[in-house]
Amino acid sequence: MRFMKSRYRNRELLLLIFALIIISLGFYLSAQTTAQPIDTALKLAGLLATAFIGLHIANRILITDADPLLLSLTAFTSGIGLVMIWRLKPNLASAQSTWILVGAVTILIALVLARNYRKLKEYKYTWAIAGIILLFAPIFLGTERGGARLWLDLGPISFQPAEIAKICFVFFLAAYLEEKRELLSISTKRAFGLWLPEPKHLGPLAVMWLISLIILVLERDLGTSLLFFGLFLAMIYVATGRAMYVSLGISLFIAGAVACYFVFSHVQTRFDIWLDPWIDPAGRGYQLIQAIFAIGSGGLTGTGLGLGHPTLIPAVQTDFIFAAVAEELGLLGGVAVILAYLLFISRGLRIALSASDDFGRLVATGLTSVFALQAFVILGGTTRLIPLTGVTLPYMSYGGSSILMNFILLALLLAISAKRGDSLE
Amino acid sequence: MAFNELTLALQITLLTSLYLFLLFAVRTISKDLSAARGEATAGGVPRIVVVEGDVAGGSGSIPVVGQVLIGRAPDCDIILEDTFASAHHARVYSDDSAYWLEDLGSTNGTAVKGKRIEEPVRLPRGSRFKIGQTVFQFMD
């Protein structure tokens, strides 16, 4: 029996149990300090454990050779997220735990479907069209929240279609670049000893640049715009090995962003608040200032879980959840969370390196880049390293779309990692 | 409830266990990486790589499966265009335990570490040998 022998799965189980113990400890401490009923904590921890142990069993049966760390790290980060959400907004925690459970079921379905992920490249242009429709639907049908037009309301459910569009674009770009990589990396043009792409191959770059500018201008969303363009640059660089695409792309993006700074007031506000949040401490700078106070008051070891005042930060359960972690668990807790993300990203890149086919390699690279960029954009925004742009912190932030899409991302990485080596197929 | 000994102890335990988890995860990664390295050495097919000189057919890396014949004759696995090489100059082959290099009675000989070999010598991984103007390395 193969699945009795798997070292990988046994290590995954060990790490998973360890993570669940830490999460339970967090729930217990939180229940002590915030005087919330312990049976709610038990219920939430139980739901979390059910979801992840269920996924672990599914991994044993479906993808024995998959990476042992991804699932455990996801349990670790989404567990800390759930504890924080329960502590910050107790009435949102059961919704979040339900989303995690729904996410687990989605992973199951995705794993069964994605075992032959190579079939996905046959629907290249379907992915492109679906991605573009999803990305631009909110411009016509969306509702505006917090200055950005990102949400689509479908009766009782509202979701961010850009989250799904990300994965569609990864599929399309992986299939497209797998076909065209040779072509895109050949050129006879040189200037000052530098390699330059053929002008006719700049089409894709121009199209992606336009798409990101449209998102920036019409949806007023700097974060998503940055994610899509960054994803494209990472993938074209990996496919062609030409740094010139990245330099050109970054210059173009900076040019576009600078132009937007002068034309659009909301971009200007974001940038000015980043440089000096004190120009409007009670208004536009309020959120960032509260976050900085929260992080500062955490110190090295934190105020203690449940003993700080992170609820003073607006939208703390979504974009600013890291500030709450840094306040109550301190620098140590914050760094632990960042390390968990770094480990996840390093595993993602390792999966890309050891993938047995180019399409899998490119999909794994794309998914890992979009994950890394998203974590960087929001962690950097929260800590005032870069101008704040509203994206969610994968696995930790409150929100159904984000949880579901990042769980699908996890399922795909797992499926690709299980395929390594068997190049006979 | 306020800050007390219990919550302090729990907070310290929580922070410590966060790092223990990460440490454990990193150890799993390093074990996995060293295992992958072990598999590559044990399971991969060793190859003969041309370090110096040109070989007909372009490819500078030939997998050693069964035996590899080196020489000027067209039926060789590695064909040399070198007047110092004989038609069937030398071969690399494996028995149950090791890989061997044997000179097939060539005119100008096969050299390992600058010395002409008289009988089959064992080829450890990474070792080099010279035929005419061409230097080969036996590696993973």
Side-chain angles (χ1 to χ4, degrees), chain A residues 8 11 15 18-19 22 25-26 28-29 32-33 69 72 76 80 301 304-305 307 328-329 332-333 335-336 339 343 347 350, chain B residues 1-4 6-8 10-11 13-15 17-22 24-29 31-33 35-36 39:
Chain A
Y8 277 172
R11 273 191 222 150
L15 277 164
F18 196 173
I22 296 173
L25 192 68
Y28 181 67
L29 175 56
Q32 288 291 317
T33 50
L69 278 128
S72 333
F76 182 78
I80 294 176
T301 54
L305 190 58
L307 296 169
E328 302 208 321
L329 299 175
L332 288 175
V335 168
L339 282 176
L343 286 181
R347 288 319 279 180
R350 161 128 182 96
Chain B
M1 200 185 283
F3 194 72
N4 58 32
L6 175 67
T7 56
L8 179 65
L10 283 173
Q11 173 85 3
T13 319
L14 185 63
L15 286 176
S17 49
L18 288 182
Y19 280 90
L20 281 176
F21 172 83
L22 291 172
F24 197 37
V26 169
R27 282 203 44 178
T28 306
I29 292 180
K31 263 189 198 167
D32 179 43
L33 288 179
E39 271 165 31

Side-chain angles (χ1 to χ4, degrees), chain B residues 51-52 111-113 123-124 126-130 135-138:
Chain B
V51 185
E52 275 177 51
V112 175
K113 289 180 190 162
L123 271 186
S127 59
R128 294 184 172 204
F129 55 96
K130 188 171 181 184
V135 178
F136 300 91
Q137 188 169 20
F138 176 72

Side-chain angles (χ1 to χ4, degrees), chain A residues 43-70:
Chain A
K43 204 185 94 192
L44 291 172
L47 276 172
L48 195 75
T50 314
F52 281 99
I53 297 291
L55 282 177
H56 167 73
I57 294 168
N59 281 359
R60 275 194 185 253
I61 297 164
L62 292 170
I63 42 168
T64 323
D65 298 327
D67 189 277
L69 278 128
L70 292 177

Side-chain angles (χ1 to χ4, degrees), chain A residues 126-166:
Chain A
T126 317
W127 294 120
I129 293 164
I132 287 174
I133 290 174
L134 284 165
L135 203 50
F136 293 144
I139 298 176
F140 308 106
L141 309 164
T143 41
E144 194 166 317
R145 290 190 199 174
R149 194 177 269 274
L150 281 177
W151 293 82
L152 214 54
D153 283 311
L154 289 180
I157 312 161
S158 60
F159 71 108
Q160 287 187 319
E163 297 273 358
I164 308 172
K166 266 186 282 193

